[in-house]
Amino acid sequence: MASNIINEYKESACDVLRAVFPQAMQWRFLIPALGICASVFAQSSTVDSYVSTESPIAKAGVLANIGANGVKSSGAYSGVVIASPSTTNPNYLYTWVRDSSLVFKTLIDQYTSGQDTTLHSLVDDFVSAEANIQQVINPSGTVSTGGLGEPKFYINETAFTGSWGRPQRDGPALRSIAMITYANWLIANNNESYVADSLWPTIKLDLDYVMNNWNETTFDLWEEVDSSSFFTSAVQHRALRQGSALATATGQTSVVSGYNAQAEDILCFLQSFWSPSPGFMTANTGGGRSGKDSNTVLTSIHTFDVNAGCDATTFQPCSDIALSNLKVYVDSFREIYDINTGIPASEAVATGRYPEDVYQGGNPWYLTTFAVAEQLYDALIVWNNEGSLTVTDVSFPFFQQFEQNITLGTYSSSTSTYSTLTTAIKDFADGFVAVAAKYTPSDGGLAEQYSRTNGTPVSAVDLTWSYASALTVFNARAGKAPASWGAASLTVSSACSTSEAATVPVVFNVNVTTTLGQNIYLTGSVGALTDWSTTDAILMSSADYPIWSTAVTLLANTDVQYKYIIVDNGDITWESDPNNEFTTPTSGITTRNDVWR
């Protein structure tokens, strides 16, 4: 771990400089002159070191939490995944269908791709364990009366009967996705009999549940909001598409039309979650929160299909709406955690479940921070495959973070703009891994969360999902994509289109000279400009100091008033009256060039 210690010293030196010279323009010019911590700006070596040391730790962490032989899963039946060995504050010594399925999807991907050929028996143990759990009578019902929506069980495959948020309808979808991935590999390797005898009966139960219940409300993956959930609906759609293809391949044709019909309806429904200004997917139809939630980023990486390109209909990682959503999600955490203080607006920060979170103190999570990086790595895989990337009016604010003079259009891999953008985005993605690395303890253990105030691990220790998320982001960084699931060329009717409200990207530039410790924020009269909020105001980038800049997607043909504010250690200074005011155009990019008053 010597290299980790060296990197910690480098990071500490940079933290000191950032505290003393917080404005990006000022400390970036100082650092080369002083010859200190250049690796912060070319951080791939730091992340390379972390990936090298953390990969085997994460893999061992996953295996340790799987019964019956896992070293931290005593009492768990064979093939049962414990969420965490933690038994107090919180007690996670249970098996969740969702967590188990996501973990084994990771292991199945490793096995079927040849990355780890030793996992065969463990995967079969998972199949047997989940088949048993399906049959357990529980508070949600029996296998035929809703019991498949039960979220968690004791690790000896018996029902948990305490009060809980139930049903949670993502579990059957995720379990079937994992098993179908395994089934497809078995069929390709001439083992159709095991698929027909052992896998299909279990898979069909889950798919039938999804087909019959997808349009009922559900608790979301955070087990808090009972409504419709973007993540749940998206994985249900994927499950039915894959289930239809498997049924066709195995001669189970009687279910195909039903699965396809419901999949089409779900895909149509998914389009309704889009909020066009400032451009993000609302995580849930209920809950009373902003709707900005890692639920949506997790959706993008868990429904990634490398053959689907940058398709927006299925929310592929490099689609314009997924990139816009990612920026809005990440930016919502820039000001709420102490450990993000002083980080410039275009750099990676710690992220959590959603900005209003209070569970266990409302901290960043390892798996949500990794998820941001994974979406970006997935996008880079597709752009590399296709040899180009496209900047649309929807994705413009995302790309403008990395190239302030970017214009709309398609850029081939032979252009300098493509090279500039993809290099910057790779560094940006590495930044999120570096954030997680910074707050990973020296033994490599990954808890559920890390403290918003000082970054120390908090909540459940050795969270299996955290370890699995490390494995998947490391694979994505290495350019490895999971098997395609059939998302390419899927379409919806015009009646299913996203909100018809037209939007336009607006660049806000303001020339203002600041002193050390000051930052410039934007707020205004519309929701995308935070409705005059000073606590939620938009942090602007000082990359071209003394010009501070940001790009925001606003509704077209709308009167907008706005002002800039200076924030200095919590003290707020508004620019003088009157408010800046303009009407957004009906199309095109608008740039507002202002001078501080």
Side-chain angles (χ1 to χ4, degrees):
M1 294 295 237
S3 60
N4 283 350
I5 295 172
I6 292 171
N7 286 324
E8 286 174 10
Y9 280 123
K10 289 180 179 178
E11 288 291 335
S12 297
C14 293
D15 286 344
V16 171
L17 283 172
R18 178 174 278 135
V20 178
F21 305 105
Q23 294 176 29
M25 174 269 180
Q26 293 165 321
W27 56 281
R28 281 181 176 171
F29 282 115
L30 282 165
I31 286 170
L34 295 173
I36 299 173
C37 70
S39 62
V40 170
F41 311 108
Q43 43 192 348
S44 64
S45 61
T46 301
V47 176
D48 286 345
S49 175
Y50 178 68
V51 171
S52 176
T53 57
E54 187 63 24
S55 290
I57 295 172
K59 183 65 170 293
V62 168
L63 298 178
N65 288 351
I66 301 175
N69 299 318
V71 296
K72 294 186 178 180
S73 54
S74 176
Y77 279 20
S78 182
V80 169
V81 179
I82 67 169
S84 160
S86 176
T87 57
T88 56
N89 193 33
N91 180 4
Y92 279 6
L93 195 59
Y94 298 94
T95 184
W96 271 264
V97 177
R98 169 180 46 257
D99 296 40
S100 301
S101 301
L102 289 169
V103 167
F104 262 96
K105 174 61 165 57
T106 301
L107 296 180
I108 289 168
D109 283 344
Q110 288 197 354
Y111 175 68
T112 56
S113 67
Q115 189 173 351
D116 186 345
T117 58
T118 70
L119 294 171
H120 193 169
S121 62
L122 193 64
V123 173
D124 286 346
D125 289 344
F126 163 73
V127 171
S128 298
E130 293 301 317
N132 292 338
I133 286 173
Q134 280 185 328
Q135 302 297 324
V136 175
I137 298 173
N138 59 68
S140 294
T142 68
V143 67
S144 59
T145 62
L148 295 179
E150 184 68 9
K152 73 175 187 178
F153 296 81
Y154 288 113
I155 61 175
N156 64 356
E157 299 177 358
T158 60
F160 169 76
T161 58
S163 177
W164 208 253
R166 50 171 68 94
Q168 295 178 29
R169 304 188 195 276
D170 57 346
L174 292 167
R175 181 166 55 198
S176 63
I177 288 169
M179 291 191 184
I180 291 169
T181 302
Y182 184 38
N184 289 338
W185 181 86
L186 290 169
I187 291 171
N189 287 272
N190 302 311
N191 199 348
E192 294 92 340
S193 60
Y194 182 81
V195 174
D197 297 340
S198 298
L199 282 176
W200 177 250
T202 302
I203 292 169
K204 184 176 184 298
L205 286 174
D206 281 340
L207 293 175
D208 287 352
Y209 177 87
V210 171
M211 179 179 66
N212 293 322
N213 295 280
W214 73 265
N215 58 348
E216 302 291 335
T217 61
T218 175
F219 277 87
D220 67 341
L221 77 168
W222 307 132
E223 308 185 303
E224 296 171 340
V225 176
D226 185 12
S227 65
S228 293
S229 164
F230 184 66
F231 175 85
T232 300
S233 295
V235 297
Q236 288 172 329
H237 168 255
R238 173 178 175 171
L240 290 176
R241 294 289 188 186
Q242 285 189 269
S244 172
L246 179 63
T248 300
T250 56
Q252 306 291 334
T253 54
S254 63
V255 300
V256 169
S257 61
Y259 291 170
N260 284 341
Q262 296 307 308
E264 290 173 5
D265 287 348
I266 299 173
L267 188 58
C268 179
F269 176 60
L270 283 167
Q271 312 311 306
S272 68
F273 286 84
W274 179 244
S275 177
S277 177
F280 68 97
M281 280 294 181
T282 303
N284 302 299
T285 58
R289 302 196 296 250
S290 65
K292 301 167 187 175
D293 194 310
S294 58
N295 163 325
T296 58
V297 182
L298 291 165
T299 296
S300 187
I301 64 175
H302 289 300
T303 58
F304 174 43
D305 185 332
V306 70
N307 291 339
C310 297
D311 176 56
T313 302
T314 55
F315 203 59
Q316 292 304 303
C318 61
S319 65
D320 56 359
I321 62 174
L323 294 174
S324 176
N325 176 80
L326 188 70
K327 182 181 188 301
V328 172
Y329 162 74
V330 169
D331 286 351
S332 72
F333 290 94
R334 292 194 176 278
E335 299 300 311
I336 66 173
Y337 298 150
D338 290 348
I339 59 175
N340 289 341
T341 300
I343 298 177
S346 59
E347 293 188 13
V349 291
T351 67
R353 300 191 300 174
Y354 50 90
E356 303 90 345
D357 195 6
V358 296
Y359 175 65
Q360 294 285 322
N363 301 294
W365 288 40
Y366 291 100
L367 70 91
T368 59
T369 307
F370 282 142
V372 176
E374 186 168 343
Q375 181 183 331
L376 294 169
Y377 293 140
D378 288 345
L380 288 163
I381 290 171
V382 174
W383 290 328
N384 181 64
N385 288 350
E386 297 193 340
S388 66
L389 62 78
T390 299
V391 180
T392 72
D393 56 348
V394 174
S395 60
F396 175 84
F398 169 82
F399 286 107
Q400 196 261 353
Q401 299 175 102
F402 312 108
E403 175 52 68
Q404 299 219 345
N405 297 317
I406 192 70
T407 57
L408 306 186
T410 297
Y411 299 90
S412 75
S413 58
S414 62
T415 63
S416 59
T417 300
Y418 177 94
S419 179
T420 297
L421 288 173
T422 53
T423 298
I425 291 168
K426 170 62 161 51
D427 288 344
F428 191 51
D430 278 354
F432 290 93
V433 179
V435 169
K438 180 177 180 178
Y439 301 117
T440 298
S442 59
D443 65 358
L446 295 178
E448 179 180 66
Q449 307 171 33
Y450 51 105
S451 169
R452 64 191 294 157
T453 57
N454 59 25
T456 57
V458 293
S459 191
V461 300
D462 294 313
L463 191 78
T464 320
W465 191 0
S466 292
Y467 287 126
S469 70
L471 295 176
T472 57
V473 74
F474 297 163
N475 264 359
R477 186 174 188 264
K480 298 175 182 176
S484 172
W485 57 269
S489 302
L490 295 177
T491 60
V492 293
S493 73
S494 58
C496 305
S497 61
T498 56
S499 171
E500 296 181 359
T503 60
V504 291
V506 179
V507 179
F508 293 88
N509 295 322
V510 60
N511 188 324
V512 52
T513 301
T514 55
T515 60
L516 296 180
Q518 294 181 336
N519 283 295
I520 304 300
Y521 293 76
L522 170 68
T523 188
S525 61
V526 295
L529 298 181
T530 74
D531 290 319
W532 295 117
S533 170
T534 57
T535 56
D536 298 326
I538 300 167
L539 175 64
M540 303 184 73
S541 170
S542 60
D544 288 338
Y545 183 85
I547 305 299
W548 296 71
S549 180
T550 192
V552 184
T553 299
L554 300 178
L555 294 175
N557 197 29
T558 300
D559 182 72
V560 176
Q561 297 183 36
Y562 66 95
K563 276 188 174 181
Y564 304 102
I565 59 176
I566 295 176
V567 178
D568 185 355
N569 195 30
D571 295 329
I572 297 171
T573 302
W574 290 81
E575 69 172 330
S576 60
D577 290 335
N579 296 335
N580 302 298
E581 187 171 7
F582 73 109
T583 299
T584 56
T586 57
S587 62
I589 301 171
T590 294
T591 300
R592 302 290 297 174
N593 292 311
D594 299 311
V595 177
W596 175 268
R597 304 190 308 265

